[in-house]
Amino acid sequence: MNTPGITATVVRLKLSLLRNGLRQSAGRRAAYVTSLVVVLLVAALQLIGLIVLRGAVHAATIAVLLVVVLALGWAVMPLFFPSGDETLDASRLVMLPLRPRPLVRALLVGSLIGIGPLFTLCLLVGAAISVAHGAAAYATSVVAVALALLVCLALARAVAAANSRLLTSRKGRDLAVLSGLVVAIGAQLVNFGARQLGTTGLSRLDPVADVLRWLPPASAIGAVDSVSRGSYGVAAAQLALGAGAAAGLLALWSRSLTRLMTSPDESTLQAAEPGPKERTTTGLSRLLPPGRTGTVAERSLRYVWRDPKTKAAWVTSLAIGLIVPVFNALQGSGSIYLACFAAGMLGVQMYNQFGQDTSAFWMVATTISAARDARAELSGRALALLLITLPYATLVTVATTALLDAWPRLPEALGLSFALLGAMLATGAWSSARFPYSVPQEGYKNVVPGQAGLAWISIVGGMVAAALLTSPVIAATIWLNVTAGGDDWTWLLLPAGAGYGAVITLLGLRLAAPRTAQRLPEILAAVSKG
């Protein structure tokens, strides 16, 4: 098949995939139309804003940085949302008699169809106009916009092809689930950067933009600015860098397609195992207590590392628990007590312990015949959480204290964190037995349909109960801070909070164990739904 024929086929395939996807349901059509309208509206506003920016002092800086952000988005989106474009998965084409080079040209043309390329084109046009002055600059803009768009598309395709087998594996699903974390952290970084720029001005970004204007695809927009300034030699070098990057990315894409279409993967290779391997004891298990409690703790820690859904919840909690106190401290509006956010975010992981196992909980349920077994099960899960949360909460509290230079407040902040953690472990164990619900393993939902009320009662009700249980330590902290001479005794809040948290945790596990043993059939039915 010649190249024009392949290109036309791929374009028709892309349109067919889009059309058939919209035919699946009215909700999907409504979502697509809404997304299209919102994206076009945002793109139009960005385009108008960039045009209005033309002639401003920092227009070139903003345009260059905007293109860098666009390129970064094109680079990471295939990793986080591989299912967003079915044609990005080149492994679907490995059985077809196609050569890589014609296929690259065909897929490149097909990549121009979609909301993303249209949005990118609008922003690139606006960026070019904002720095263009004179006929020569406008003529250069035509080449620069096309070159920048080509680099963005080739970058996305090269990344997707190089990681095609990764994206269809469990590790690839891990990346997709963790995409929300990247968005959350990125939003905090943007917010922090915007506040800093609000006080110092855009002039701080000029040195950064001077470097980035030599990196493709921002070098293409930098070339337009260079032509406007009369630096034609510099502009030619920047365009050459963009063209070289585009050629290099297309070559990398072609090489990845060749390797993907000619080399076997693990599914086509026979396993060559000499025989069953003898199971050895891991170093982690030797550090845990013997018996069921240690075994359950080790299993829970393995779930945190291996299960995509569990890993996403933990990493998100770890990140947000650090971002909230640290970023507020960096912005000068923080409080030492915000460090308790770290213990609170990880303490939430104790809620709905059995629902996280989904239908596999029946294997655990068959081993629980009495309250003693249930207590060992819950104690192991709480121990696994403590092994991560205790050092993490301590480090976050110390870091927040250092940023605020509030070392006298460190003991009371640690005491509050430990007391809150103990209260959440206690209420989480009881809530797991009383209000279990199933967690779907696929997608981004955390509750199966019909169990949202249970999830709300379990988490929100449990957090309210944890706050009430922590109130004695909170009251003691307030009393010592408002009482004359009380500052001399605030160090007692550290051992008091730690001891109080330990007692509350043990009491909560002891009360939750018999209820867990009694309600095993109800728990198993609830967590097996969906």
Side-chain angles (χ1 to χ4, degrees), residues 281-492:
T281 303
T282 63
L284 176 62
S285 61
R286 288 194 292 267
L287 299 176
L288 297 173
R292 177 166 185 157
T293 299
T295 303
V296 172
E298 183 178 5
R299 183 191 68 205
S300 299
L301 292 173
R302 291 184 183 275
Y303 280 172
V304 171
W305 180 252
R306 294 180 177 180
D307 180 61
K309 201 84 172 183
T310 306
K311 182 188 294 186
W314 270 91
V315 174
T316 302
S317 297
L318 287 168
I320 296 178
L322 175 66
I323 287 173
V324 171
V326 170
F327 272 61
N328 278 277
L330 289 173
Q331 294 171 4
S333 59
S335 168
I336 186 65
Y337 302 111
L338 283 178
C340 297
F341 209 84
M345 286 299 300
L346 294 188
V348 173
Q349 302 303 319
M350 188 63 188
Y351 293 86
N352 194 36
Q353 277 290 313
F354 306 129
Q356 298 173 17
D357 296 346
T358 62
S359 58
F361 178 69
W362 73 269
M363 301 176 64
V364 176
T366 57
T367 65
I368 299 177
S369 58
R372 182 180 58 183
D373 299 327
R375 184 177 179 182
E377 178 72 26
L378 289 170
S379 298
R381 294 173 184 246
L383 176 60
L385 192 145
L386 281 172
L387 289 176
I388 300 175
T389 306
L390 276 178
Y392 172 78
T394 303
L395 289 174
V396 171
T397 305
V398 172
T400 306
T401 304
L403 291 173
L404 294 173
D405 194 20
W407 294 107
R409 302 289 186 188
L410 178 60
E412 58 188 273
L414 283 174
L416 276 174
S417 294
F418 294 155
L420 176 62
L421 178 59
M424 298 194 77
L425 289 176
T427 56
W430 189 88
S431 178
S432 296
R434 184 63 183 86
F435 302 107
Y437 58 91
S438 182
V439 179
Q441 291 300 297
E442 300 295 334
Y444 298 94
K445 293 183 179 180
N446 293 317
V447 185
V448 298
Q451 292 187 335
L454 280 174
W456 179 265
I457 295 174
S458 175
I459 297 178
V460 177
M463 293 175 67
V464 172
L468 292 176
L469 288 176
T470 316
S471 58
V473 180
I474 297 176
T477 303
I478 296 174
W479 181 73
L480 288 176
N481 278 278
V482 299
T483 303
D487 291 342
D488 297 334
W489 300 97
T490 54
W491 64 270
L492 290 174

Side-chain angles (χ1 to χ4, degrees), residues 88-112:
L88 280 175
D89 187 6
S91 63
R92 299 170 182 256
L93 308 174
V94 296
M95 300 302 294
L96 300 177
L98 300 173
R99 294 184 179 275
R101 289 187 178 180
L103 185 59
V104 164
R105 289 189 287 268
L107 291 176
L108 186 62
V109 175
S111 300
L112 295 172

